[in-house]
Amino acid sequence: MKLAALSRKAVIQALKTDGLRLKIGGFNVCLSSSIPEVADHLLCLYDAFDVINDDDFVDFYTSLAPPSILRRYFRPQVNFSFDGYYKFKPLPYKQASAMFEWGLNWCIASHSHQYLIIHAAVVERNGQAFIFPGTPGSGKSTLCAALICSGWRLLSDEMTLLSLADGLVYPVPRPISLKNRSIDVIRSFYPEVIFGEAVNDTSKGTVVHLRPPDLSVEQVKNPAEPAKLIFPKYEQESATKLVPLSKGRAFLRLAENCFNYDILGVQGFNSVGDLIDASDCYDFKYSSLDEAIVLFTELAH
Amino acid sequence: MPDNCVISLPKEHVVSCRFWEDESVVYNQVSGETHLVDGIGAQIFKFISEKAATRTVLLQNIINVFELETDSDMAGLFDNLILEYQKLGLLAVTENKTA
């Protein structure tokens, strides 16, 4: 059953009682919360996701709740818990939905060492996964949003999960996090896409989540072969420039962008090496999304 | 460094290498560090990852591959590189007991 089949009342009820259980990528997630806005966030952005049965194994038990009764009313706050542990400082109540996304990122990045986890967006076309590692501000999410709005498959906006077992990229398509100026860029580019509520005054500025395409969510069981490793850099007014990057340098830069390279030890080294072997590596500088889409579409043929 | 000393990857497979053209990345499992080496360094690791070699053989290989002049500067540079990699735990230099 898809989440869309449930009424708002039913979602709120599930969140308040045993928790709402969703299949998100390869993970089963249970979320409990008494915050109605969380239900709205899920219904807007996760409506195409499967609700799992009560007796299915759950990877991550999470909750969003005020840290104390006082903080329900006075300068209201929200806190994210995983298996009953609170890893983060509370945030303003209005940032609850964003905190769920960030908290889930942390759950996956900290507990999924069957994958090499790369801080990178990853999209697929013609069976080829294009991986865009990037530090905040590099424009990877904007690029990723523009590509999926142009028909590419979303595997992930935030974390590329490269299986240590078979070297394939496993999808975990979730809402794409856009920040500040990139929100209006994508809104004006693709007025038909669905956005969640804007969350203002976060540590990253204003954050909005974009609903993942249905087709990407449906293909959640289909991994993709890594083909291109592209380090994007958005620069105002810059010409579109794709420059080959040597494999050795790409290796080091990729390793720097992994969440668990050090934890995996020699497995991490081999996994990065295999990915580099399988991929053409580039530096990419851009300011025009139109040109970037044309270029990558040609590259995927 | 004696000409007949043997240069090899450290025992117990604590070092892993990958090679692409004139570059190599070398991973030391003990320190957890990954090193990017190119040029002569990459050729050193390419050679010793196939089999251990004496200083004489390895230096001659470098001279041949890079078409270098045989002079003391080159030998000095080579020795410094080997010592540097040895300090990082990326290779081992042992006395040749069979000589």
Side-chain angles (χ1 to χ4, degrees), chain A residues 37-283:
Chain A
E37 289 83 354
V38 173
D40 295 331
H41 174 79
L42 296 173
L43 281 166
C44 176
L45 302 175
Y46 285 88
D47 58 329
F49 287 66
D50 285 324
V51 179
I52 58 167
N53 297 322
D54 285 351
D55 54 356
D56 283 339
F57 178 81
V58 171
D59 295 281
F60 307 124
Y61 282 95
T62 64
S63 81
L64 286 164
S68 65
I69 291 172
L70 177 69
R71 286 299 192 184
R72 219 179 266 263
Y73 307 103
F74 175 70
R75 290 185 186 163
Q77 288 185 329
V78 63
N79 210 348
F80 176 88
S81 81
F82 163 68
D83 271 357
Y85 291 95
Y86 294 89
K87 294 293 295 183
F88 309 102
K89 287 185 177 170
L91 290 178
Y93 183 87
K94 287 186 174 177
Q95 297 180 16
S97 55
M99 194 175 204
F100 169 65
E101 299 298 336
W102 298 331
L104 189 53
N105 286 344
W106 176 85
C107 288
I108 296 171
S110 307
H111 300 89
S112 311
H113 301 310
Q114 68 273 39
Y115 301 107
L116 177 76
I117 306 171
I118 309 163
H119 185 205
V122 56
V123 292
E124 179 263 333
R125 184 122 180 176
N126 298 333
Q128 302 175 64
F130 281 48
I131 300 169
F132 298 99
T135 47
S138 62
K140 74 175 166 56
S141 290
T142 315
L143 194 56
C144 173
L147 287 166
I148 66 143
C149 291
S150 307
W152 290 59
R153 174 159 75 114
L154 173 70
L155 281 89
S156 176
D157 154 50
E158 188 67 20
M159 277 179 283
T160 295
L161 303 181
L162 187 79
S163 166
L164 297 178
D166 60 18
L168 298 176
V169 178
Y170 279 75
V172 55
R174 289 171 49 209
I176 297 177
S177 168
L178 295 172
K179 297 168 206 88
N180 305 317
R181 216 173 66 79
S182 66
I183 299 166
D184 288 335
V185 170
I186 295 298
R187 264 193 219 278
S188 60
F189 228 74
Y190 305 99
E192 68 282 7
V193 297
I194 296 169
F195 289 92
E197 283 291 308
V199 182
N200 300 310
D201 305 320
T202 77
S203 57
K204 302 172 180 187
T206 298
V207 174
V208 166
H209 287 92
L210 186 156
R211 184 179 179 275
D214 288 348
L215 208 57
S216 301
V217 177
E218 281 167 24
Q219 294 185 57
V220 71
K221 288 186 178 164
N222 303 337
E225 292 204 19
K228 312 284 182 210
L229 179 65
I230 299 165
F231 293 86
K233 178 73 191 159
Y234 174 84
E235 270 186 23
Q236 228 170 0
E237 313 281 323
S238 80
T240 303
K241 210 172 172 184
L242 188 70
V243 181
L245 181 65
S246 81
K247 298 229 174 199
R249 289 185 193 286
F251 186 110
L252 284 202
R253 284 172 62 185
L254 186 66
E256 283 168 12
N257 279 282
C258 292
F259 288 112
N260 59 348
Y261 177 76
D262 291 334
I263 292 169
L264 293 175
V266 73
Q267 273 190 304
F269 177 83
N270 289 331
S271 184
V272 171
D274 291 345
L275 175 59
I276 295 288
D277 279 338
S279 308
D280 300 322
C281 307
Y282 301 96
D283 263 326

Side-chain angles (χ1 to χ4, degrees), chain B residues 5-61:
Chain B
C5 66
V6 176
I7 300 165
S8 64
L9 291 181
K11 286 179 184 168
E12 291 158 0
H13 308 289
V14 294
V15 165
S16 305
C17 306
R18 290 273 178 153
F19 305 100
W20 298 280
E21 298 175 354
D22 63 344
E23 285 180 329
S24 173
V25 285
V26 184
Y27 177 70
N28 182 344
Q29 287 184 48
V30 177
S31 68
E33 297 287 339
T34 307
H35 304 266
L36 173 64
V37 292
D38 58 8
I40 292 174
Q43 181 59 27
I44 289 171
F45 284 101
K46 200 179 277 185
F47 197 94
I48 65 169
S49 67
E50 287 171 13
K51 60 175 182 180
T54 63
R55 177 186 179 275
T56 307
V57 170
L58 188 53
L59 179 56
Q60 192 56 51
N61 171 267

